[in-house]
Amino acid sequence: MSALRTRSLSLRPRARTVAASLVAQGALLLAGCVGSGDVAGPVSGGGGAAVRASIAARLQVDAPAGALLRLTPAYLRLDGTSRDLPTVTAPLGTAAEEQVAVEIEFGACLADPERAGWQGAPPTAGECVLTLRFALLVENAQVDTATIGPLAIRGGQRVIPGAVSLQEAAALQLFTADGTPLSTTTPLPVQVGERRALVARIVDGAGRTRPARAVSWRLTPPGLAALSDSGVLVGALPGVGSVGATSGGVEVAYPVRVVRAPAPLRIEGAPGSTGRVVVTSRPAGIQCAITNGTATGSCELPFPGDTTVTLDVVPEGTTEFRGYDGACVGDGACAVPMTEARTVRVASTARFTLAVAAIGGGSGVVTSVPEGIRCTVTNGTAAETGCSALFRLGTAVELQATPGANADFTGWSGDCTGAAQCQLPMTSAAAVTVSLVPRQSLTVSGAGSGTGLVTSSPAGIRCVITNGEAAEEGCAASFPRGSTVTLTATGSGASDFAGWQGACAGTGSCTVAVDAATAVTARMALRRTLTVTHTGVGNATISSTPAGIQCVVANGVRASVGCSAAFPEGTVVSLTATAGTVTDLVAWSGACSGSGATSCTVTMGEGRAVSLALAVQPLLTVTATGSGDGTVTSSPAGIACTLQGGRASGSCAARFASGTVVALTTTPSGPTEFVGWSGACAGTGNCTVTLTEPRDVTATLALYPLLTVAMAGNGEGVVTSTPEPIGCQLSQEGGYQGSQSGPFTTGTCTARFPRGTVVTLTQEAGEGSTFGGWEGACAGAATCTVTLTDDRTVTASFGRNAGTFRLTVEANIANTGSGTVISGQQEISCTITQQTSGTCSADFPRGTQVTLTPLAGAQSSFGGWGGACSGFQGCTVTLNEDLTVSARFFRAIGIRLPGGTPTRPPAPQKPPLTVRTPRPPAR
């Protein structure tokens, strides 16, 4: 065989069988055997002598080329078990029928003393009882087996076994061309004229699915469709049948159904339809909503041609389904056979609910035209039935209300309003409430001693009251229950309406809801006068509730109007007093009752009089003494007084309500200390004054003690303090100071310190100077320490070193120009204008000769020397004592004075005497 095909080795009786013969060892294959060249060699086993036998088999083969035949012999043992002998395999050829020869070796059986004999007999010498297991192998997988035996085999004996058959296929399956398996329960659908290609596959004995070979196809009934030899099915007539196939000795059949081509079913809304219905189908597919005749959703769908589609309509809400048109007619069941395209129209009408409710507590009946509503109302409650109905869209419904006995129809609310007939075009759901109100009585009576009139709105009451008695007529009326009636009362003549009793209170209008029989009393009272006076001095306002009194007292004088008023007899009048500026409310007297001074209550009988006592609030005054500065403030506020050197300014006096506890606080400012209080307070703590009468308080503030540092002597130096800020400097170079020249004191030489401060003074002598000692509050040359309990003065003396003398240059008093005087080594370099600046003095050892040179400034000329030198030339002096030389420079006006203007010679710079000045203390 050149191609894979189906072959079988059958164990069942068939026309073609396998014959097997056992011959003696080494015997030739039976005549006519084929394939002897494919026999596998024998295999020894069991350790015994090799004993061989040949089996010749004629085979009907249904398997692909390359299949193998495998033979496994086994012998029986006395214990009932079996043992395999060596397996023999032989390849199968390509012929459908072939004869195969194989050899088996069973020496191991003969050598086994426990081998069994035939049918339980003892074993015969040279004989074994064997079973032969045949297997068909395709691609090394076992696909079918068959067993022959038991057989008694011995040398030289021929055994012919029964018929043997094997085959490759175990089952057969059908698939569509796309690989979908056919179902044994659900018919394969094929439309008329549709081509469906089928494929057959076998399942071999190893469980593998493989393409089938030599397939034979069949169709039942034959006219259902056309079926080709290659498995192509073409639908012909609608109906149900089966399609089958045979291959490899296996048969199979599957159900098939031929149907017409699908036809569409369309759902539409009938013209003029209103409301909303939902249409569904069986089988499923149609899910169509029709709203006011417009269809939306899945409203068109194709169904198989032999399907009968049943439609179901579900109205939503109060919509009414009116029937079908088109492929279905009427309002019964709709079943549509889908033999062609079909259209079904669904008709519906919207209906709306009209509901009637009731309020008011009355009884009656509400009916409708057209009929539908007949609603019975009992004591304001509508019946459970008859009070609602469905009406088609556009229906004009008219409601009529008929009140029962002792009830009034007072109107509609909801979708109808007013008291006329209720007419509703039904375009949507509507709700109407009818008001049926029972009638109830309202009675007015009188009280008091006055006269007046009571009227009602709505009309019905007009009640005259005389001396507190109501008239017999006009003082009672009947109103629908629940009505709101407003009563108005007015006094007449010398009477006032004094208030309501019963269902109303107060003196305004009386509004009552007449839900039941109601009674109201109107009190009419004669007017009585209330007079308010005062005693004492002050400012106040007295007012009344109810209004009438508005009495103002200013600076002890009562106003001429507002201090008396007329009130109805029996009225309870509340008087309230408001104190004005700097005024205390003391107490009430007269017809008033009440413990407070701000209010009292008077009940009006005959004429009444009330008096209020007033008093001016006590004054608190703050004054100051001492040299210090500060402020005094009060709590509560009022005093805000500034104190400066014993003088008080600002808000230093204020009035407070009698009995007020005022706390005064002083705050010193700058170098000031608080010494203490006097007058209404004492000591240095907080000042607290209880004001029951005028009070005076004096605050004493004192400046801190003053420390003064004086400098003396012909030397130079600095004095500083700890704590700061003293930083006082003594300098002999003061320049032109009128007719005086040096010494001069600069810096901070005075300062104030808190009382009791311990101040340490430290001195530092300048260059060429020596500290000479302290005087005043300190003595000696040591450090000066002063405890400040009062003002103190300390003098520090500085002198020049022994053996030196000072040369000083100063400006002549008549000097008008400018220039500079320098010494040979520039120990002196003094700039002269109207005053001097620079280094204008220097100390030299005794006997030193010093030459001074004048240098005139711009537009100036040297005008000559004075003092220890004279003339217009250079000045040379010998220092054996302190000397002073003055220089004069004139402002040049075109005249050159004798001596000319020498040229300044260059000279090295020498720094002037520097005396350290302490930094002022931080404030």
Side-chain angles (χ1 to χ4, degrees):
M1 293 182 178
S2 60
L4 196 65
R5 57 191 177 84
T6 301
R7 298 178 294 179
S8 65
L9 179 63
S10 176
L11 296 179
R12 298 188 295 274
R14 302 171 60 90
R16 293 172 287 183
T17 62
V18 177
S21 299
L22 300 177
V23 297
Q25 178 178 350
L28 295 175
L29 296 176
L30 296 177
C33 287
V34 297
S36 59
D38 299 328
V39 176
V43 179
S44 298
V51 178
R52 303 178 185 274
S54 295
I55 295 178
R58 186 178 300 279
L59 305 175
Q60 176 185 353
V61 180
D62 191 5
L68 296 177
L69 177 67
R70 183 176 65 194
L71 173 61
T72 303
Y75 69 90
L76 302 180
R77 303 182 78 243
L78 291 177
D79 58 5
T81 62
S82 65
R83 287 186 179 175
D84 289 346
L85 295 174
T87 297
V88 182
T89 60
L92 296 177
T94 59
E97 294 184 358
E98 55 185 281
Q99 187 167 329
V100 180
V102 295
E103 289 186 347
I104 62 172
E105 196 281 320
F106 57 97
C109 171
L110 296 177
D112 188 350
E114 297 297 320
R115 74 180 188 277
W118 178 256
Q119 295 183 347
T124 302
E127 182 182 69
C128 281
V129 179
L130 303 179
T131 60
L132 304 177
R133 297 198 305 273
F134 293 92
L136 178 63
L137 303 181
V138 178
E139 295 183 1
N140 296 324
Q142 179 177 293
V143 298
D144 199 7
T145 61
T147 301
I148 301 297
L151 301 174
I153 300 178
R154 56 188 306 169
Q157 183 180 9
R158 173 176 292 182
V159 177
I160 302 175
V164 176
S165 64
L166 298 171
Q167 63 184 24
E168 178 188 16
L172 185 64
Q173 294 180 343
L174 298 186
F175 298 82
T176 59
D178 61 2
T180 303
L182 271 61
S183 171
T184 59
T185 58
T186 302
L188 172 69
V190 181
Q191 296 179 19
V192 174
E194 179 186 11
R195 295 171 57 85
R196 300 293 296 269
L198 304 179
V199 177
R201 293 182 178 272
I202 67 168
V203 179
D204 66 15
R208 300 174 300 183
T209 300
R210 308 169 64 79
R213 298 175 297 278
V215 181
S216 174
W217 297 92
R218 63 183 180 279
L219 179 70
T220 303
L224 187 67
L227 182 62
S228 69
D229 292 340
S230 61
V232 177
L233 186 67
V234 181
L237 294 174
V240 178
S242 65
V243 61
T246 302
S247 179
V250 182
E251 298 179 355
V252 70
Y254 290 92
V256 65
R257 170 179 234 151
V258 178
V259 298
R260 292 185 179 86
L265 174 59
R266 178 180 177 84
I267 307 300
E268 297 178 347
S273 290
T274 57
R276 179 181 172 88
V277 297
V278 176
V279 182
T280 57
S281 65
R282 290 175 288 155
I286 296 293
Q287 184 74 28
C288 182
I290 302 175
T291 304
N292 296 327
T294 300
T296 58
S298 298
C299 298
E300 184 173 356
L301 190 72
F303 288 91
D306 62 345
T307 303
T308 296
V309 180
T310 300
L311 297 180
D312 297 308
V313 178
V314 178
E316 289 192 354
T318 58
T319 299
E320 178 185 2
F321 168 59
R322 298 208 326 267
Y324 299 101
D325 187 17
C328 285
V329 178
D331 57 1
C334 175
V336 184
M338 295 306 299
T339 57
E340 59 182 344
R342 304 279 188 168
T343 297
V344 176
R345 288 176 290 278
V346 178
S348 62
T349 298
R351 295 185 302 167
F352 298 107
T353 300
L354 174 58
V356 175
I359 60 173
S363 300
V365 177
V366 178
T367 57
S368 68
V369 178
E371 294 183 352
I373 299 289
R374 184 171 183 79
C375 181
T376 300
V377 179
T378 304
N379 297 329
T381 301
E384 295 183 358
T385 60
C387 294
S388 66
L390 291 172
F391 294 94
R392 286 185 177 180
L393 175 67
T395 302
V397 180
E398 180 179 306
L399 295 179
Q400 297 177 341
T402 304
N406 199 31
D408 289 322
F409 166 67
T410 59
W412 305 99
S413 59
D415 290 314
C416 272
T417 58
Q421 287 183 334
C422 172
Q423 292 183 337
L424 287 172
M426 296 302 295
T427 58
S428 62
V432 176
T433 300
V434 61
S435 178
L436 298 172
V437 180
R439 304 186 67 82
Q440 300 292 340
S441 64
L442 175 60
T443 303
V444 175
S445 60
S449 58
T451 299
L453 177 66
V454 177
T455 59
S456 68
S457 176
I461 299 290
R462 183 175 177 81
C463 181
V464 176
I465 299 174
T466 304
N467 299 325
E469 295 292 333
E472 293 183 359
E473 295 183 1
C475 295
S478 179
F479 296 91
R481 192 171 79 175
S483 297
T484 299
V485 180
T486 300
L487 298 176
T488 303
T490 57
S492 60
S495 298
D496 287 321
F497 170 61
W500 301 100
Q501 296 172 353
C504 281
T507 57
S509 296
C510 168
T511 300
V512 293
V514 187
D515 296 320
T518 305
V520 176
T521 298
R523 186 173 179 276
M524 300 294 175
L526 293 172
R527 297 191 196 100
R528 302 295 185 182
T529 301
L530 173 62
T531 301
V532 174
T533 61
H534 81 287
T535 61
V537 179
N539 303 282
T541 300
I542 304 166
S543 57
S544 67
T545 301
I549 299 292
Q550 188 70 21
C551 184
V552 177
V553 179
N555 298 321
V557 178
R558 188 170 60 255
S560 60
V561 295
C563 295
S564 66
F567 297 92
E569 185 178 35
T571 303
V572 177
V573 181
S574 295
L575 295 176
T576 301
T578 303
T581 57
V582 301
T583 300
D584 285 328
L585 305 177
V586 179
W588 298 95
S589 61
C592 255
S593 61
S595 58
T598 58
S599 63
C600 76
T601 301
V602 180
T603 300
M604 296 305 297
E606 301 295 331
R608 304 292 191 187
V610 173
S611 181
L612 175 63
L614 305 176
V616 176
Q617 293 176 345
L619 180 67
L620 175 60
T621 303
V622 174
T623 59
T625 63
S627 59
D629 301 335
T631 59
V632 175
T633 57
S634 68
S635 177
I639 299 293
C641 185
T642 300
L643 310 181
Q644 292 179 322
R647 295 186 304 274
S649 60
S651 299
C652 297
R655 293 186 182 274
F656 297 88
S658 180
T660 302
V661 178
V662 181
L664 296 177
T665 302
T666 182
T667 304
S669 61
T672 297
E673 60 184 345
F674 175 58
V675 177
W677 302 101
S678 59
C681 285
T684 58
N686 290 333
C687 172
T688 301
V689 182
T690 300
L691 289 178
T692 57
E693 59 184 353
R695 295 295 183 94
D696 294 324
V697 175
T698 299
T700 301
L701 299 174
L703 291 174
Y704 291 161
L706 180 67
L707 175 60
T708 301
V709 175
M711 309 289 272
N714 60 0
E716 295 180 335
V718 173
V719 176
T720 59
S721 69
T722 302
E724 295 178 343
I726 295 292
C728 188
Q729 178 176 346
L730 174 64
S731 174
Q732 299 300 320
E733 297 180 14
Y736 177 74
Q737 299 288 336
S739 60
Q740 300 294 325
S741 60
F744 298 98
T745 300
T746 59
T748 303
C749 297
T750 62
R752 293 187 181 275
F753 295 88
R755 190 175 303 276
T757 302
V758 177
V759 181
T760 300
L761 297 177
T762 303
Q763 55 76 28
E764 181 179 351
E767 184 178 357
S769 298
T770 302
F771 177 60
W774 304 100
E775 296 177 0
C778 286
T783 300
C784 173
T785 300
V786 182
T787 300
L788 291 177
T789 58
D790 54 9
D791 293 348
R792 296 295 182 93
T793 299
V794 175
T795 300
S797 297
F798 294 91
R800 289 200 307 274
N801 293 336
T804 63
F805 297 96
R806 175 161 295 186
L807 175 59
T808 300
V809 176
E810 61 182 21
N812 188 283
I813 191 171
N815 193 71
T816 59
S818 64
T820 303
V821 175
I822 61 174
S823 64
Q825 299 300 317
Q826 290 196 350
E827 299 91 344
I828 292 178
S829 179
C830 182
T831 299
I832 297 175
T833 55
Q834 295 298 314
Q835 297 180 351
T836 60
S837 62
T839 305
C840 296
S841 65
D843 292 336
F844 297 89
R846 179 187 297 274
T848 302
Q849 282 191 344
V850 180
T851 299
L852 299 175
T853 302
L855 301 173
Q859 297 180 353
S860 297
S861 297
F862 176 60
W865 302 102
C869 283
S870 62
F872 298 97
Q873 303 300 319
C875 169
T876 301
V877 295
T878 300
L879 271 299
N880 292 313
E881 61 180 339
D882 291 342
L883 297 178
T884 297
V885 175
S886 66
R888 181 182 182 187
F889 291 91
F890 288 106
R891 182 174 180 79
I893 314 178
I895 301 176
R896 182 177 182 84
L897 298 178
T901 302
T903 303
R904 180 192 300 270
Q909 296 291 324
K910 178 180 179 182
L913 172 66
T914 301
V915 179
R916 180 174 61 84
T917 302
R919 184 179 60 193
R923 291 286 183 178

